[in-house]
Amino acid sequence: MVSNVIGMLTSARRSLLEASHSPPGTHARSRLRTVAIFAIWLALVALTILLPADWLALGISAVGASITIVVSVRRRKPARVWPWWLIFTAFVLFLLGNVVRQGANLPSNLSGGRTLIPDIMIAPGYILIGLALIGFERERERAKRYSFGVILDGLMAGLALLAIAWVFLIQPQLANRQVSAVVRLVVISYPAMSLFLVVMMLQIAFGAGRLPGNAEKLLFLCVSAMFIGDTLATLSQLHLLLSITGPRVRDVVYLTAFLLAACTASDASMRTLTEPASGSPPAWPVGRIGLVAVALSVPTVLVLHSSHGPLAQRFTLFAIIVGLTATAILQILRALRVAEHSEAKVSFQALHDSLTGLPNRQMMERHLTGVLERAALNDKPVGLLFLDIDRFKLINDTVGHTLGDELLVQVASRLKANVRPTDLVTRIGGDEFVIVLGQTVGVADALEFANRLRNCLRDPFTVDETEFFVTVSIGLACVPGGGAEVSAEVLIRDADTAMYRAKEAGRDAVAVFDDSMRAQLAERVEIERDLRHAVERRQLHVAFQPIVSTTTGSIVGVEALVRWLHPTLGVIMPTRFIPLAEETDLIIEIGAWVLDEALRQVAFCRTIPGLEHLKVSVNLSAVQLRDENLVEHVGRALAAHSLPGSALCLELTETVVMGDPETAMAAFAAIRRLDVRLAIDDFGTEYSSLAYLQRLPVDTLKIDRSFVDGLSEPDSAADTLVAAIIAIARALGMETVAEGVETVDQAKRLVALGCDSMQGYLYSRPVRSDQLLEVARLLSRKGPVEERSQPETADASGGFAVA
């Protein structure tokens, strides 16, 4: 047995070394520590066997174990220290009890003169160790129910041993001795209490479905050695062991238990005993079923075997059997409660969202089906709201999914707080919520309710001291009364379709479903499906709209505009398919193709006399801006076509830039290192931050066509706004480009206000790259502000150059 203990101790040390990545010196020190521990153990065993005062070795080992616990707790700093202090106190009680017994030379056998004073000091130590083990389990599992089950397991094992030992060992051996029932019970209680600790440690180390660590293995060996030592001590007192060798072997085992306790405390894995473990313990393992079966069968066997004897003995046995039976019954009741709880938990998880706790899609569909069936019988209308958080993907990409999930939890809570008791709020996935209206309402009332919900979400959310402003797009679908039969699936799809209409209308809106949306939805699905193959099937084309100087009228650059020539739907404008590309992340592939194609064609144009210095502007989306490989793609595309960075200008809308200015500044700084120019498109149409604008390395502000349209009226508000934008650009050292210039009056006013460049139908529609030279010659002949209703090259644009 001793060799096995030392072998397991050495194996545990070796496994710890192999699992770590410590330097060679650490491995050598650990091997020396193992040798030193083995040497100390041998020395103490020698003292126990050779010295008449065998208790001296036990005292040394108990003091050493106590000191080791104190030093290791202060050095290792486990998450919770109180279980270790309980073990330390228990060892101190063991030491004091034995000192009192040996110092006062009190008898420890089963004679009539035996005193219980040392036992009163030692027995609480077992209780303290049991509490420490419970503490380890509670800290690791964070579950009271499982800890209580471990206690019941130990009690059943201990009481069963106590009852069996009482009938088959104590009573036969002490039938003719004048020993009180209390003394007998105390003597046999020691192995029962240590078996209680063994069973508890067995469940803690091996009963949770995981591999035990070194500290768990060593602690299990420690309490097992205590059980063996207590069993040997009881057998020795009952004269079932030789009077000379029995106590010596017992003391060696006790000494080993103290040494194993010291090894447990000094091992680096001792910190894991009070750290939460991954995974959940099994609710009712097979071993516990067997333990309960044994516990319930023991009373029957004992009653049949021992039906006679003194009243005190029978009463003691009766009390033990009652305790054992009650413990087994409690364990069965606990198992039933755990099973019921687990079943309810599984049922709840199957029908509820794990993040927000709201009903999930499955439960929503069940509920909606019932509502529709009752409404059909009662001729009542049914309303459904489909909510989607606007630009939520941007939030996740910017601040991370952890904060994004917390934001979803707060949105769910606010929705629940603002609906009626009869309404069902559900989360069906991602940032999508569905509300089944429980009260009978018409379309007008449902629309008003949807707008109230939309407005309640506008108040800021605070997540981890960060403020978020959220808007939602809501689709409303209603089934009118009058016997209309609509399935839950159809109603959800209709509300989803209406939600997309709300997004297309600019987001932060409510849209009501009508039958015309079904055809539009089918077309949207077709577009999204075909868009995935548009690049490889060569259906995308790039057109170029000239940008002309307001002073010379000559081309200073072109803007690359992508067009999609669909085989059945004809020319599809970017406003229709680019949002779909952004939602499906196809924009990365399409954007890379547009950039490469634009640079390829411009590189060829720059070889033509008159276009040697042609520059091209390419639009970037928010998804591309957040792409960590953006700068690499731009640099590789420029190098592939032997173009300098100054030949390229990247345009981003003001919404994209101001939506995440910190990311924009980081990306802009990296792009500028390539000498690429940067422009903010549609400036002034969204919220503008001059503080960020002056920090951004931007070269050009593009004035949106909505302001240019207003220049047709003299002294208009648009005139003032355009003048202000041009003044801001000059103050910041930027150029200005006006978009959508279609009349001579607009052009003259832009010249008067000091705009640098213009683009629009007044000068040219978007054309193919091979038409740019012809457009450049035409513009140089006519000058910058000559009236022209239609450019001469408009019909030569190949069918896809539509503005």
Side-chain angles (χ1 to χ4, degrees), residues 529-750:
R529 182 186 64 243
D530 294 343
L531 184 59
R532 298 183 180 276
H533 307 288
V535 174
E536 63 185 58
R537 293 174 180 172
R538 300 182 181 275
Q539 295 174 358
L540 297 182
H541 307 274
V542 175
F544 299 90
Q545 184 170 40
I547 301 173
V548 303
S549 169
T550 55
T551 56
T552 65
S554 60
I555 295 180
V556 294
V558 291
E559 180 179 359
L561 303 169
V562 63
R563 300 289 187 263
W564 182 12
L565 187 57
H566 193 276
T568 59
L569 300 176
V571 177
I572 301 179
M573 302 302 292
T575 53
R576 290 181 64 188
F577 70 84
I578 290 299
L580 284 176
E582 291 179 339
E583 291 176 12
T584 57
D585 283 343
L586 289 172
I587 191 64
I588 299 294
E589 178 187 355
I590 294 175
W593 180 86
V594 171
L595 176 64
D596 185 76
E597 183 67 11
L599 292 178
R600 183 185 68 81
Q601 296 192 38
V602 167
F604 174 76
C605 291
R606 287 167 68 103
T607 63
I608 301 174
L611 299 178
E612 297 93 339
H613 303 290
L614 187 67
K615 300 175 182 177
V616 62
S617 298
V618 178
N619 292 281
L620 286 183
S621 71
V623 178
Q624 290 174 278
L625 182 64
R626 296 191 300 272
D627 183 11
E628 59 183 13
N629 297 318
L630 173 63
V631 177
E632 180 183 351
H633 290 162
V634 172
R636 193 161 51 235
L638 288 168
H641 302 292
S642 302
L643 287 174
S646 58
L648 174 64
C649 178
L650 296 178
E651 295 186 7
L652 294 97
T653 63
E654 184 182 15
T655 304
V656 171
V657 175
M658 295 307 172
D660 188 6
E662 298 298 334
T663 299
M665 282 191 288
F668 280 13
I671 292 172
R672 283 305 302 268
R673 286 195 285 270
L674 298 175
D675 199 25
V676 173
R677 297 174 62 81
L678 295 165
I680 296 182
D681 200 5
D682 302 337
F683 183 77
T685 57
E686 296 286 341
Y687 51 89
S688 302
S689 173
L690 297 181
Y692 278 117
L693 186 61
Q694 66 179 349
R695 294 170 56 191
L696 291 169
V698 175
D699 305 284
T700 304
L701 293 183
K702 300 195 73 172
I703 304 171
D704 188 68
R705 66 180 306 150
S706 60
F707 299 126
V708 175
D709 289 342
L711 293 178
S712 301
E713 301 176 7
D715 300 325
S716 63
D719 192 289
T720 303
L721 289 173
V722 171
I725 293 173
I726 293 173
I728 291 172
R730 284 182 176 175
L732 297 177
M734 302 177 186
E735 297 180 355
T736 52
V737 177
E739 297 181 296
V741 180
E742 297 183 352
T743 67
V744 174
D745 290 338
Q746 293 171 349
K748 288 181 178 180
R749 188 58 190 149
L750 287 167

Side-chain angles (χ1 to χ4, degrees), residues 9 29-43 259:
L9 175 62
R29 287 194 299 271
S30 183
R31 285 193 294 269
L32 288 174
R33 191 182 301 117
T34 302
V35 173
I37 292 172
F38 182 67
I40 292 172
W41 183 82
L42 285 178
L259 188 64

Side-chain angles (χ1 to χ4, degrees), residues 311-387:
L311 178 62
Q313 294 181 7
R314 283 186 290 160
F315 180 80
T316 303
L317 180 60
F318 171 77
I320 296 173
I321 292 175
V322 168
L324 179 60
T325 306
T327 305
I329 292 174
L330 282 176
Q331 189 68 303
I332 293 174
L333 293 176
R334 174 186 167 274
L336 293 176
R337 286 197 300 270
V338 169
E340 182 181 0
H341 174 78
S342 299
E343 183 178 355
K345 184 177 180 181
V346 169
S347 177
F348 181 87
Q349 290 175 342
L351 297 175
H352 289 77
D353 172 51
S354 60
L355 176 64
T356 63
L358 294 177
N360 60 14
R361 187 185 190 98
Q362 182 180 357
M363 184 173 179
M364 182 269 294
E365 290 178 347
R366 289 185 186 179
H367 177 78
L368 181 58
T369 299
V371 170
L372 289 171
E373 291 174 352
R374 291 190 296 270
L377 293 175
N378 301 325
D379 194 22
K380 300 292 185 181
V382 177
L384 186 76
L385 301 180
F386 197 114
L387 294 79

